[in-house]
Amino acid sequence: MRFLFELLVDFITKELPNLERQGIRLRVLGDVDGLPFAARKTLAYACSRTAKYASMDLNLALNYSGREEIIRACRLFLEAGNTAEALTSETLSAYLYTAGQPDPELVIRTSGEIRTSNFLLFQTAYSEFYFTNTLWPDFTPADLHKAIADFTARSRRFGGL
């Protein structure tokens, strides 16, 4: 496991200049307090260096659980002095890791799995899902175009009839 976090530190350190050059904001979804010290420091530094950028958000899910995110958001909502009566989808959204970002319209699930895997449970309530047997490392631009074509052919109802 240590090796994976060393890879993460190396990758973030190497890619930070590219993120800055392209105006990309790095955001971490998950409980970073549970990560090794070097990974926490590197991520905090990269997130602070890119916080001002707005051309794109790059969300990196680490030590992430959709259920835990919802529980965390509820706790933060209450700790901020809000009442239960003030709780709405919109007010809770402000306490999620993805606060300020639009909910995903399309979620592509690779590797033949047909489940959400505890990923962005709140945010994907009205997302469209595309499932493919293709493994992530083998997912090509052609596969992406196929998923997008499938998505654009759908009639989205957002919970309506």
Side-chain angles (χ1 to χ4, degrees):
M1 182 75 84
R2 182 177 169 197
F3 173 72
L4 290 176
F5 287 107
E6 289 171 359
L7 277 177
L8 174 67
V9 168
D10 289 344
F11 176 78
I12 296 296
T13 302
K14 183 180 121 204
E15 290 301 321
L16 181 58
N18 293 329
L19 295 175
E20 291 180 302
R21 196 169 27 261
Q22 296 178 58
I24 298 172
R25 175 180 27 221
L26 177 65
R27 297 179 68 170
V28 178
L29 314 182
D31 180 15
V32 294
D33 293 338
L35 302 180
F37 179 78
R40 285 195 319 265
K41 286 303 202 187
T42 302
L43 288 166
Y45 178 72
C47 288
S48 69
R49 287 283 303 264
T50 63
K52 63 183 176 263
Y53 299 124
S55 69
M56 185 173 94
D57 283 338
L58 173 61
N59 292 320
L60 185 59
L62 296 168
N63 200 21
Y64 175 82
S65 158
R67 287 181 174 182
E68 290 301 318
E69 178 184 20
I70 294 168
I71 292 167
R72 174 190 166 274
C74 290
R75 286 183 179 143
L76 291 172
F77 176 83
L78 294 172
E79 288 170 7
N82 295 300
T83 63
E85 292 75 28
L87 184 61
T88 66
S89 291
E90 291 77 25
T91 58
L92 186 62
S93 290
Y95 293 90
L96 296 172
Y97 291 122
T98 56
Q101 297 181 19
D103 290 338
E105 293 186 50
L106 174 64
V107 176
I108 300 171
R109 180 61 201 246
T110 59
S111 76
E113 298 289 345
I114 304 176
R115 58 190 170 90
T116 60
S117 297
N118 197 19
F119 183 70
L120 297 178
L121 298 176
F122 188 90
Q123 298 89 329
T124 59
Y126 294 111
S127 299
E128 298 289 326
F129 285 80
Y130 179 82
F131 300 98
T132 178
N133 289 326
T134 305
L135 299 174
W136 172 248
D138 301 323
F139 196 81
T140 65
D143 293 316
L144 178 61
H145 290 293
K146 185 177 175 185
I148 292 171
D150 179 86
F151 170 74
T152 58
R154 298 180 186 185
S155 173
R156 301 195 66 207
R157 297 182 302 275
F158 299 97
L161 297 176

